[in-house]
Amino acid sequence: MNKIGIIGAMELEVERLKAEMTESNIITKAGMDFHEGKLNGASVVVVRCGIGKVNAALCVQILADVFQVTHVINTGVAGSLNAELDIGDILISKDALHYDMDVTIFGYKSGEVPQMGFREFTADRRLASLAQEACQKVNPGLHVRIGRVVSGDQFISDKNVKEHLIAEFQGDCTEMEGASIAHGAYLNHIPFVIIRAISDKADNSAEMDYPTFEAQAAKHSAALVMEMVQNI
Ligand code: ADE
């Protein structure tokens, strides 16, 4: 039977999902509260992992080992790296990579975890298309795009850093957890998708825009997840 792990980094990204759950039971591990129960008829475990790649990796491993989830969804907000992705739009992952992994000195590609042989963790195509369909249903006015998530332990708010992430990694959005969730899901053979609503442009305007648009963006992403879980 399917059990879907749903990870958000911040309370804002999971609070609505938790509020809509029924038969919910809380199990705490590594300082994270895992809410196990039903969402729109689907068996789910909803959790706020905290910010950054270490928290995200620990969380996905707990979902695999303790809850034996069959699918992983990461919901939340992100900075846009693509001129066609505006604040409020949605990015659904085609793949994800760690932009802050750099062992190029030994011949690895920038972003490649040594000896993996690739740098992009590919998202599950079926989950990505279910997310796209769900978005058209619940957020019909929003522009949705399938693309690349590039993750690192940095809030990006500098135009030059943004340009680097585009040139080096062809990222469509940037955030601080997705690639770790993708990496952990890959190692545990669990299909995953990352769904991010754009809260800022990851440039010098990001510190102004982020607090203004964060809540609305997180709401869009959560609404989409709630709709899609029943179809998995
Ligand atoms: N999450 C939302 N916006 C972000 C940004 N600009 N950098 C990193 N993570 C983000």
Side-chain angles (χ1 to χ4, degrees), residues 77-79 154-156 174-176 199-200 202 206 210:
V77 300
Q154 263 185 69
F155 186 90
I156 306 298
T174 186
E175 37 77 299
M176 302 173 72
S199 54
D200 58 84
Y210 181 79

Side-chain angles (χ1 to χ4, degrees), residues 57-82:
L58 279 169
C59 184
V60 78
Q61 193 60 50
I62 294 168
L63 285 172
D65 288 346
V66 178
F67 297 94
Q68 272 123 33
V69 298
T70 54
H71 302 78
V72 168
I73 301 174
N74 174 215
T75 172
V77 300
S80 172
L81 299 176
N82 184 320

Side-chain angles (χ1 to χ4, degrees), residues 85-210:
L85 273 175
D86 213 339
I87 289 171
D89 291 346
I90 302 268
L91 186 287
I92 297 168
S93 62
K94 170 174 67 93
D95 54 29
L97 63 80
H98 301 282
Y99 69 71
D100 53 1
M101 175 61 73
D102 183 349
V103 192
T104 49
I105 188 76
F106 294 123
Y108 295 103
K109 277 191 277 182
S110 186
E112 179 182 349
V113 178
Q115 301 177 355
M116 288 203 91
F118 60 90
R119 67 176 190 175
E120 301 92 3
F121 297 93
T122 305
D124 184 72
R125 295 231 331 239
R126 180 168 166 269
L127 288 179
S129 48
L130 286 176
Q132 203 172 12
E133 283 162 25
C135 189
Q136 268 137 18
K137 196 158 165 204
V138 292
N139 301 315
L142 291 189
H143 173 218
V144 196
R145 200 183 172 90
I146 306 248
R148 176 164 298 161
V149 178
V150 301
S151 313
D153 284 318
Q154 263 185 69
F155 186 90
I156 306 298
S157 58
D158 179 316
K159 194 171 166 296
N160 295 326
V161 181
K162 173 178 178 171
E163 294 307 327
H164 168 73
L165 297 183
I166 297 169
E168 188 70 37
F169 303 104
Q170 298 79 50
D172 290 296
C173 78
T174 186
E175 37 77 299
M176 302 173 72
E177 297 82 22
S180 280
I181 291 167
H183 191 160
Y186 167 80
L187 292 177
N188 287 282
H189 312 289
I190 302 171
F192 76 92
V193 70
I194 303 161
I195 300 161
R196 295 276 177 164
I198 302 300
S199 54
D200 58 84
K201 299 281 190 72
D203 58 15
N204 304 62
S205 62
E207 356 165 2
M208 297 275 284
D209 290 340
Y210 181 79

